[in-house]
Amino acid sequence: MTRKAILNRAFAPREKALILALVVVLVGAFYYFAVVQNTANMVASSQDRISELEMQISTEQTIAMKRAAMERELEKINGQEDAPRIPVYNNFRGEWDQVKRLLADATSFQLSFGDPVASGDLVRRPAQVTFTTTTYEKALNLVRKFQHEDFRCTVNDFGMSMVSDRVSDKTGISVTLNMTFYETLNGATDLSGLTFADEEKK
């Protein structure tokens, strides 16, 4: 009887006010943590993401400007008459050693050569190299060096991008070069491994 009486009795105005205040506090706390705090975290995360994207855009714009400048420079170099000499076929070992020597200061690199193709007395040997350096300046200087070494080659295309090492928390520049080395058949005594352009078309 006593327990039922307690449950069924009417709350006093003061008790109702306290209960109402408690409900308001609980609803307010829920709204704050579920809505306000969550929204603030989302806004902060979005701002961080926007800042990161702005930095990436700025970096890409810098790369694009430097690439455009390098392309103009390469066009001038490729058109020079006093370009490096064209060796007699087969100069694969000399070209291989030249590229490896130039990339000695690179952080890392990968190098591959394609099959040489002769057209008339001129032999074209395609090559692709991908390397990383710590700065733009070092990357661009390496690209320039390829144009001024002993053996004639042209840079047909190249790409630059920023890379990051999560282990060391450092950033670097990755460069991919598509090149062509030139050799001549004048004075050549061994034509092994060579494909002629007419045969390639067949």
Side-chain angles (χ1 to χ4, degrees):
M1 293 294 293
T2 303
R3 186 176 299 174
K4 288 183 178 181
I6 293 174
L7 294 174
N8 292 330
R9 76 178 181 82
F11 290 103
R14 184 178 179 182
E15 292 174 330
K16 291 180 179 180
L18 290 174
I19 293 174
L20 180 60
L22 179 61
V23 170
V24 170
V25 170
L26 292 175
V27 171
F30 174 79
Y31 178 80
Y32 175 79
F33 288 105
V35 179
V36 176
Q37 190 67 29
N38 187 47
T39 301
N41 291 337
M42 290 178 62
V43 170
S45 178
S46 298
Q47 290 176 339
D48 291 341
R49 181 57 179 165
I50 290 173
S51 298
E52 182 180 345
L53 290 174
E54 288 177 343
M55 291 180 62
Q56 290 180 355
I57 292 172
S58 177
T59 300
E60 293 300 327
Q61 289 176 338
T62 301
I63 291 176
M65 292 175 60
K66 290 181 178 292
R67 173 172 177 166
M70 176 56 67
E71 286 176 344
R72 291 192 295 270
E73 183 174 342
L74 290 176
E75 288 179 0
K76 293 179 181 179
I77 294 174
N78 290 337
Q80 291 177 356
E81 295 182 357
D82 58 344
R85 65 188 178 89
I86 299 179
V88 176
Y89 181 83
N90 178 3
N91 189 47
F92 171 72
R93 175 54 59 183
E95 292 155 2
W96 177 277
D97 291 341
Q98 174 175 294
V99 174
K100 288 184 66 177
R101 175 170 50 80
L102 290 175
L103 295 175
D105 293 333
T107 305
S108 63
F109 72 88
Q110 292 181 331
L111 173 62
S112 63
F113 281 84
D115 295 330
V117 177
S119 178
D121 290 333
L122 187 65
V123 178
R124 293 178 174 85
R125 188 189 300 276
Q128 184 180 76
V129 58
T130 299
F131 64 87
T132 57
T133 62
T134 53
T135 64
Y136 296 111
E137 288 70 23
K138 289 183 178 180
L140 296 177
N141 285 336
L142 278 176
V143 175
R144 293 187 183 100
K145 286 181 179 180
F146 279 102
Q147 304 294 299
H148 295 285
E149 285 300 304
D150 295 337
F151 305 126
R152 176 71 183 271
C153 79
T154 58
V155 176
N156 306 316
D157 185 35
F158 76 99
M160 298 177 64
S161 61
M162 186 174 69
V163 294
S164 58
D165 188 338
R166 295 181 179 179
V167 177
S168 61
D169 195 25
K170 294 182 179 179
T171 59
I173 304 300
S174 175
V175 178
T176 298
L177 297 177
N178 289 308
M179 304 179 296
T180 300
F181 282 92
Y182 296 92
E183 301 171 23
T184 180
L185 293 181
N186 292 327
T189 57
D190 183 4
L191 304 184
S192 59
L194 186 62
T195 300
F196 288 85
D198 294 339
E199 296 177 359
E200 194 177 53
K201 292 178 181 178
K202 294 179 182 179

